[in-house]
Structures are given as C-alpha cells and as structure tokens.
C-alpha cells in the first residue's frame, strides 16, 4: 500500500476532482465509502472547508492522501476500504476532524481531511509521511496485503543522476550500464562461480573478469571486506574511484560474502599468543617445575590471563613494523601486561612472592563544569535544594494534570460508547421530567377549558330560546292562541332564558380564568414557555428524539475523548521530562553528599568564585551603559545634545 500525501487550501476542488472524469477519464462510479461528514459531495466539501476557515492563518489546512494497492492485491470491497480508511485516519490522529474517503477506481481511494478539528484545534502534520508509512505497514499486515517494503526493496544502492552523468561522460559511445551496476553484476557472477572455493578462487575470478579489487585487512589480520573498481573508472582529477562492497550491493559485504565463499572461519591465533602459551608451558614443564609444587590450574589461569591481556594490548604493539627489534626499555615492553604477568609467574616458580598489583584508582567524580554529566553542577547548595523542591512540585503538578486528563478520557469514552448518559440525553430527560411536573396543571387546563366550552355551547342554546320567546311575545293574541301559548308565558320564558344565558356566560368566564391560572401554574412548575406544546411533541416524537440525542452525545464523546487523549499524551511527555530533571537534581544532590569532603569544599569555592566573576562583569557592564546614556557633565556632552544656536531672527523674535 502506497500513501501519497498532498496539501491544499480548499476541499471543494479536491471533491470536484474525485467526482469528476479524472485527467484521463479513469474515474468510474465515484462514491463516498467512509467519513464522518454526510451529504452530497459539495455539502461534504463545504462542511470540511467550514472548519478549516476557523484557522485562517494556516496556509494549507486541507490534508489529502491517496491509498493505492498493486494488482497483486486484487479488488477490495467498499466495506474493506472503509475499514482501512477509518483505521488509517485514526492512526494519523485525524479522527477528531471532518474527513471523507472517496473511491472512483478499483485500486485506490482518496482521503480529504481538515487539519482543524470540530473544536477548532489545529491537528499537527509533523512527520506525516513517516506516520503514514507506519500506518500503511500495519494495515498491510492486518489485511494480508502485499508489503510495499518488499515490492520496492532495492537490490543495492541506487545510481543517482550525477553518477549516471559522470558515467556517460567517461563512456559516451558505450551502450553499457553505469560502472557500479556493471560491477554489481560481474562480482555477483564471480561470487556464484566461486561458491565454497575460498578467497583465492574468488580473487582469481575477479582478476579474470577485469575487476580490480583491494582486500581490506585490519592490522590484527581480520578480513573486513573488499573494494572494487574497473579500468577507466576515475574522477574528474584522474584518481581511481574505489567502491566499497557495501556500496556496490548489500549482499557483497564480507559478512554475507564469507559464508558463500566458505571462508568464514575465525582468524588464526596470533603468533604472540602462541609464543606466550609456549613460554608458559615450557616454564611449567621444565626442570625447575619439578622442584616446586605448582598447581596446573594456576598455570592455566595465568596463561589465560596473559593471552587475554596480550590480545587487548595488541594495538599498541602493532604500531611498530613487523620484524623491528625493540630495545629492552621500550614502553611497549615495559607496559606489556602479558610480559608483566609472565614475569610474576616466573617469580612464583623461583619461590618468591610477586609484588601486588597496584590498587585501582577510585572512580573519578565528573567535574562540576561538565554540563553533560553534571548539568546542575553550577548550582550552590541552597540553590540546589530549592531547585529540587521546585522541580518536584512542578513534576507533581504535571502528574496531576496527566491524571485529570486521563480521567476525562475515561469519562468521555463512557459517553462515546453509550455506557453513560451524555448532556443531550440528560437534557431530554430533564425536559420530560418538567413536562411530567406540569401534567396535573395541564389536566386542569383541559378540564376548565372543557367546562368553558360546554357553558358557551349551552349559552348559545339559551340565547336561541330567548330570541324565540322574544319573537312570540310580540305577536297577537290570536296567533298565540293558535300556537297554544300566551304572552305571559312567553315573557316568563324570555326572562328565564336571559337568566340562563347570564349564568352560563359567567360560568364560561370563570372556567377560562381558572384555565389561565392552571396554565400559569404549569409554566411555573415546569419552567417552560409552552409546556403543552412540549408535552405534545414528546408524546409524538419521543423515540426519534431519544435516538438523535444519543447520537449527538456519542459524537461529542468521541470528539472530547480524542481531545483529552492528546492532552494526556502531552502531559505524559511533560511528566517524563519533569521527572528526568528531578532525577538529575537528585543525582547531583546525592553525588555531593557522598563525595570526599576536600573535593566538596574545593567545588564550593570554585562555584563562589565563578558567581563573583559573573556578578562583577554584570555590574561593570551596567555602569558602562549608564555612562553611555547621557550622564556626562554639560561641558562634556556630545555636540548633538547641546543647545542649538538662535535662529536668524534672534532669540526673541518669531516663533
């Protein structure tokens, strides 16, 4: 998997390209396969750009990355690409920002991310290429994809442009590869032909193939490898150019070449070592040995130590040319540990006690001026104690901040997973509780309003009866006789109907007043402006409202969880740094406590003298600055500070 990263200013242009025909009409069925922004492509792009505009000082807030696969991996499903995109974004640390993944082909997807998260925090893109490579390697391992490191692993150091141009200048008419690639092929062929035959056959094959070589053998006789060149391989000054085997190909290094040639045996025992062993053996088996009771194990131990010390000091002796005769008082002989050890053994053979080895020198204390080993060595005793207390207090505060951030991470993780109610769900339940508190008052409102409506309906009926009675009492006696009634009866019916209308109107008004009082009581009990409307909305849409509140809480939980995770990581890093300072200060304090008294006194005097010198230098500098800033007597002031001469009109004329 290859991750190709680019950066830009606008997400709209990126999404337009993703959903367009492409540069070569290669975009087929473009579609969104993953992301945390929903909507049409333009809506998604505008949402990403909206968060990016919160940080106008960032020149390129849009982070783009294409993840592509080779043909060997086949065609992945959209669900698998979605899982890859989610985990890749999480590994890059961009999960808290708006992002989208678009697929418009079989072998790759495009990721468009805003580096400004939902909370307005800028997400770092530092080392994003390295982090992307690490994330891609992990995804290749998880999904069983072809490893990019294996596909693009070079068989040897690559030939760069400048080397290629130099090769063409040296051989302009030859249609051959650069000299280093030619060396790589020839040396490998000779190595394969000399497999198991040793160095002699390998070097003979190189000579037959026209390759010049140098064996890099150390002064101890150890073989370190080869350097190769060809005839005509020279630099601009005409000097021969030699390529070490590791620069030609990694598999031509001596560590890899020796097992192939069958020449990986350890180097022969040096002659000095054999001579020391022979001398010890002859000493223990000579005639003198028969007169003294010598333990063979002691002999073997002395010989072993002699050989070891001789090998350790070989570099000193190898400085002289082989075959030179050294004088008896040469330092190489007087300081030879093997010679000294054998001399001690000879004294024991003669019955004498060899002198004891000098006692090892005590471990030296690093100088207080060594900033690398004693970074706080310049502090005085009191200043060191005060600094240690301050750093311990600072480290405790940083650890407390880290613990608080980790507690916030756990809290918001519970909200993100739905284990704990979030703010939106709590508000919804609080609204429901408020509506339930107002429910009795709302029932009173409905009851009083129903009473008012019934009274008003009855009043309308009685008004109709009153109008009818009023109409009949105005008719003639003959008409009333024909209707079977009299004027007195109609007058009584009209009075009764009028009284009923007044009573019913009064009842309706009282009921409406009671309903208004009950509505006010409902608003007071629930603290809602319109509890009746809220009650109706909760009754009709409670499942949908609850799901939406849970989704909002989980989104907010994920966002805050990532934010506090970054804070916790920063606090952990700061805590480690603070603890390292505390450890250094404690080491300095313990070192001063355990060092010899004389050295501690000398260091204290040196610190005091250094502090006095620094103080005197600072005082002198400040005094010099004061003199330069214009405190000279009037007669010694510079010309540009003196009073200017009067103008042409005189000192008292004009302004």
């Amino acid at each position: 998997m290859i991750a190709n990263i680019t950066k830009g200013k606008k997400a709209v242009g990126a999404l337009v390209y993703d959903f367009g025909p492409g540069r070569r009409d290669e975009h087929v069925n473009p579609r969104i396969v993953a992301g945390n922004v929903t909507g049409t492509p333009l809506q998604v792009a505008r949402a990403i750009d909206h968060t990016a505009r919160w940080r106008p000082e960032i020149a390129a807030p849009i982070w783009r990355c294409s993840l592509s696969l080779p043909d060997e991996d086949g065609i992945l499903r959209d669900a698998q690409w979605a899982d890859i995109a989610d985990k890749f974004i999480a590994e890059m640390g961009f999960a808290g920002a708006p992002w989208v993944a678009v697929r418009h082909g079989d072998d790759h997807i495009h990721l468009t991310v805003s580096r400004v998260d939902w909370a307005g925090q800028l997400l770092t893109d530092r080392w994003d290429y390295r982090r992307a490579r690490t994330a891609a390697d992990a995804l290749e391992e998880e999904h069983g994809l072809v490893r990019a490191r294996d596909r693009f692993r070079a068989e040897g150091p690559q030939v760069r442009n400048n080397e290629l141009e130099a090769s063409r200048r040296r051989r302009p008419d030859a249609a051959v590869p650069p000299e280093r690639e030619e060396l790589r092929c020839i040396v490998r062929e000779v190595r394969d032909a000399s497999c198991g035959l040793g160095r002699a056959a390998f070097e003979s094959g190189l000579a037959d193939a026209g390759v010049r070589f140098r064996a890099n053998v150390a002064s101890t006789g150890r073989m370190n490898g080869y350097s190769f060149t060809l005839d005509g391989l020279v630099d601009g000054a005409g000097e021969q150019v030699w390529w070490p085997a590791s620069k030609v190909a990694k598999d031509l290094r001596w560590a890899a070449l020796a097992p192939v040639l069958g020449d990986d045996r350890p180097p022969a025992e040096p002659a000095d070592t054999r001579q020391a062993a022979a001398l010890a053996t002859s000493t223990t088996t000579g005639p003198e040995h028969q007169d003294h009771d010598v333990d063979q194990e002691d002999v073997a131990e002395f010989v072993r130590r002699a050989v070891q010390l001789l090998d350790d000091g070989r570099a000193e002796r190898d400085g002289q040319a082989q075959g030179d005769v050294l004088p008896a008082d040469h330092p190489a002989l007087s300081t030879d540990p093997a010679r000294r050890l054998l001399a001690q053994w000879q004294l024991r053979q003669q019955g004498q006690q060899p002198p004891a080895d000098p006692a090892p020198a005590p471990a030296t204390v690093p100088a207080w001026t060594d900033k690398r080993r004693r970074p706080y060595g310049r502090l005085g005793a009191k200043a060191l104690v005060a600094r240690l207390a301050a750093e311990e207090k600072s480290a405790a505060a940083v650890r407390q901040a880290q613990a608080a951030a980790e507690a916030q991470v756990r809290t918001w993780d519970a909200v993100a997973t739905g284990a704990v109610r979030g703010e939106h769900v709590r508000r919804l339940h609080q609204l429901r509780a408020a509506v339930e508190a107002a429910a009795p008052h709302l029932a009173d409102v409905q009851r009083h309003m129903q009473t008012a409506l019934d009274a008003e309906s009855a009043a309308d009926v009685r008004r109709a009866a009153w109008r009818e009675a009023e109409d009949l009492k105005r008719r003639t006696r003959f008409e009333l006789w024909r209707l079977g009634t009299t004027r007195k009866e109609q007058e009584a019916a009209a009075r009764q109907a009028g009284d009923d209308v007044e009573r019913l109107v009064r009842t309706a008004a009282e009921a409406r007043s009671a309903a208004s009082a009950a509505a006010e009581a409902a608003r007071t009990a629930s603290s809602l402006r319109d509890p009746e409307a809220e009650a109706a909305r909760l009754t009709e849409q409670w499942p949908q409202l609850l799901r939406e509140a849970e989704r909002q809480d989980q989104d907010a939980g994920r966002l805050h969880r990532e934010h506090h995770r970054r804070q916790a990581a920063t606090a952990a890093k700061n805590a480690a740094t603070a603890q390292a300072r505390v450890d250094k200060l404690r080491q300095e304090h313990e070192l001063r406590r355990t060092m010899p008294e004389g050295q501690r006194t000398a260091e204290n005097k040196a610190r005091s003298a250094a502090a006095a010198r620094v103080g005197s230098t600072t005082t002198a500098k400040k005094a010099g600055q004061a003199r330069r800033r214009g405190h000279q007597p009037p007669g010694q002031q510079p010309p540009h500070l003196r009073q200017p001469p009067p103008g042409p009109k005189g000192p008292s004329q004009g302004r």
Side-chain angles (χ1 to χ4, degrees):
M1 180 185 297
I2 300 300
N4 184 23
I5 298 174
T6 58
K7 295 161 188 177
K9 296 182 178 180
K10 298 288 185 180
V12 172
L15 269 294
V16 168
Y17 167 77
D18 290 343
F19 283 86
R23 296 186 178 91
R24 301 177 183 83
D25 297 330
E26 74 275 14
H27 292 185
V28 179
N29 188 21
R31 57 201 180 274
I32 296 176
V33 296
N36 57 6
V37 184
T38 59
T40 64
L42 286 180
Q43 289 173 344
V44 171
R46 291 193 184 100
I48 296 175
D49 285 335
H50 176 72
T51 59
R53 284 194 295 271
W54 291 351
R55 300 297 294 268
E57 72 276 9
I58 305 303
I62 303 302
W63 190 83
R64 287 268 291 175
C65 180
S66 64
L67 300 178
S68 58
L69 299 177
D71 296 337
E72 293 86 343
D73 288 328
I75 300 176
L76 304 184
R77 296 177 290 105
D78 286 353
Q80 192 170 358
W81 272 120
D83 183 60
I84 291 174
D86 287 334
K87 294 180 178 178
F88 183 82
I89 290 294
E91 288 294 328
M92 294 298 296
F94 296 151
W99 66 277
V100 67
V102 177
R103 181 181 185 183
H104 51 214
D106 294 336
D107 59 348
H108 70 283
I109 61 173
H110 291 274
L111 302 173
T112 305
V113 187
S114 171
R115 288 179 52 215
V116 182
D117 64 9
W118 296 107
Q121 297 294 327
L122 180 64
L123 303 178
T124 179
D125 61 345
R126 188 178 184 184
W127 305 111
D128 53 352
Y129 292 92
R130 183 180 300 177
R131 291 188 288 137
R133 184 66 262 157
T134 303
D137 291 343
L139 290 172
E140 289 170 349
E141 185 71 21
E142 179 180 353
H143 291 269
L145 304 176
V146 176
R147 290 174 54 88
R149 295 183 184 274
D150 297 336
R151 292 176 56 224
F152 296 97
R153 180 174 295 167
E155 61 179 4
Q158 298 300 298
V159 177
R160 304 301 179 184
N161 291 336
N162 54 356
E163 183 182 348
L164 184 61
E165 293 297 330
S167 176
R168 290 174 179 173
R169 287 194 300 268
R170 287 189 293 264
R171 301 187 292 184
D173 300 331
V176 294
E179 290 90 340
R180 185 149 55 134
E181 293 187 357
E182 185 177 0
L183 274 173
R184 184 182 304 159
C185 297
I186 295 175
V187 174
R188 281 177 173 171
E189 291 178 358
V190 174
R191 176 200 63 185
D192 296 340
S194 306
C195 181
L197 301 179
R199 282 178 53 186
F202 177 68
E203 294 173 356
S204 176
L206 291 177
D208 294 341
V211 177
R212 298 167 59 184
F213 63 90
R214 289 191 307 201
N216 303 322
V217 182
S219 58
T220 60
R222 177 184 177 184
M223 177 63 177
N224 292 328
Y226 287 99
S227 297
F228 306 106
T229 188
L230 293 172
D231 292 336
L233 180 55
V234 295
D235 57 10
E239 298 291 337
Q240 192 73 29
V241 178
W242 290 87
W243 289 104
S246 60
K247 299 295 183 182
V248 177
K250 296 297 183 182
D251 55 351
L252 296 179
R253 295 176 296 126
W254 182 246
L257 186 62
V260 177
L261 299 179
D263 198 6
D264 55 346
R265 59 184 179 276
E269 186 179 4
D272 294 339
T273 305
R274 293 195 298 270
Q275 292 174 2
L279 177 60
T281 304
S282 62
T283 305
T284 58
T285 57
E288 299 86 350
H289 178 67
Q290 300 175 359
D291 299 334
H292 303 280
D293 186 12
V294 180
D295 190 357
Q296 294 295 331
E297 295 182 359
D298 292 343
V299 175
E301 178 63 20
F302 269 90
V303 171
R304 185 191 64 78
R305 289 180 57 194
V307 171
Q308 180 181 358
L309 294 174
L310 188 62
D311 291 340
D312 294 339
R314 187 180 294 115
E316 181 182 6
R317 297 189 301 279
D318 287 339
Q320 300 292 329
Q322 295 184 1
D324 294 345
V325 178
L326 300 179
D329 58 348
H330 193 274
L333 297 180
S334 61
T335 60
D336 185 359
R339 179 72 61 83
R340 185 171 62 253
L341 189 63
L342 292 176
Q344 293 177 2
W345 175 250
Q346 290 175 357
L347 290 176
R348 291 187 59 181
Q349 290 284 65
Q350 298 172 6
Q352 302 178 10
Q353 185 65 25
D357 292 335
T364 59
V365 178
W368 65 275
T369 55
D370 188 353
K371 294 182 179 180
R372 182 178 63 86
R373 302 191 63 184
R374 293 182 64 179
Y376 299 103
R378 296 182 178 272
L379 294 176
K382 295 182 179 180
L384 179 64
V385 173
R387 184 71 173 274
L388 178 58
E391 290 295 343
E392 288 178 345
K393 183 177 180 181
S394 176
V398 173
R399 288 193 296 270
Q400 185 177 1
Q402 178 186 0
E406 292 175 350
Q408 288 292 330
V409 170
R410 292 190 294 270
T411 300
W412 287 108
D413 182 71
V415 174
T417 56
V420 176
R421 285 183 180 179
E423 184 65 23
H424 293 85
V425 174
R426 282 201 300 270
R427 289 178 182 175
L428 186 61
H429 282 278
Q430 289 174 0
L431 178 61
R432 187 175 186 180
V435 170
E436 290 177 354
H441 302 286
L442 294 178
D444 292 341
V445 170
Q446 293 180 356
R447 180 170 55 81
H448 290 305
M449 287 301 297
Q450 187 63 38
T451 301
L453 292 176
D454 294 342
E456 289 174 354
S457 298
D460 291 340
V461 173
R462 297 305 296 165
R463 286 193 187 94
W466 177 81
R467 284 193 294 270
E468 183 180 0
E470 285 291 328
D471 181 62
L472 289 177
K473 75 178 183 179
R474 294 189 182 92
R475 294 186 181 185
T476 62
R477 291 181 179 179
F478 179 74
E479 290 176 341
L480 292 174
W481 175 76
R482 290 181 60 185
L483 294 173
T485 183
T486 62
R487 183 176 286 108
K488 290 183 179 180
E489 291 178 355
Q490 294 303 320
E491 289 177 354
R495 285 194 302 271
Q496 183 63 35
D499 295 339
D500 293 341
V501 168
E502 291 179 0
R503 179 177 56 80
L504 292 173
V505 169
R506 193 182 307 110
T507 302
E510 292 174 354
R512 285 187 177 276
S513 299
S516 298
E520 184 64 27
R523 285 191 290 270
T524 303
S526 62
S527 300
L528 298 175
R529 180 177 299 177
D530 191 355
E532 187 175 1
E534 293 293 342
R537 185 171 70 92
L538 292 180
T539 302
E540 295 175 0
Q541 305 176 9
W542 175 254
Q544 296 87 344
L545 293 174
L546 184 59
R547 284 195 298 271
E548 180 64 20
E550 290 175 348
R551 186 191 64 80
Q552 293 176 352
D553 284 337
Q554 291 175 2
D555 292 343
R558 285 190 290 268
L559 176 63
H560 287 85
R561 179 181 60 188
E562 295 302 323
H563 173 67
H564 288 290
R565 275 180 179 173
R566 292 193 295 272
Q567 287 187 342
T570 303
K573 187 183 300 183
N574 295 338
T577 304
Q579 188 61 39
R581 291 195 298 268
V582 170
D583 293 341
K584 289 289 185 182
L585 286 165
R586 287 176 178 170
Q587 291 175 5
E588 178 67 23
H589 188 270
E590 181 65 18
L591 181 62
R592 294 187 189 183
R593 189 184 65 82
T594 56
M595 71 171 52
E597 181 65 27
Q599 184 174 359
R600 182 163 57 250
T601 303
E603 283 192 2
N604 291 335
K605 291 181 179 179
R607 290 191 195 94
S608 300
R613 288 194 299 270
V614 173
S616 62
T617 303
T618 305
T619 304
K621 183 177 180 181
K622 290 183 178 179
Q625 290 177 352
R627 286 194 296 271
R628 289 193 297 271
R629 288 177 182 173
H631 292 280
Q632 296 87 349
Q636 299 180 5
Q637 289 184 350
H640 68 280
L641 294 179
R642 297 172 187 169
Q643 184 176 3
K649 294 183 180 181
S652 61
Q653 299 179 3
R655 290 185 178 179

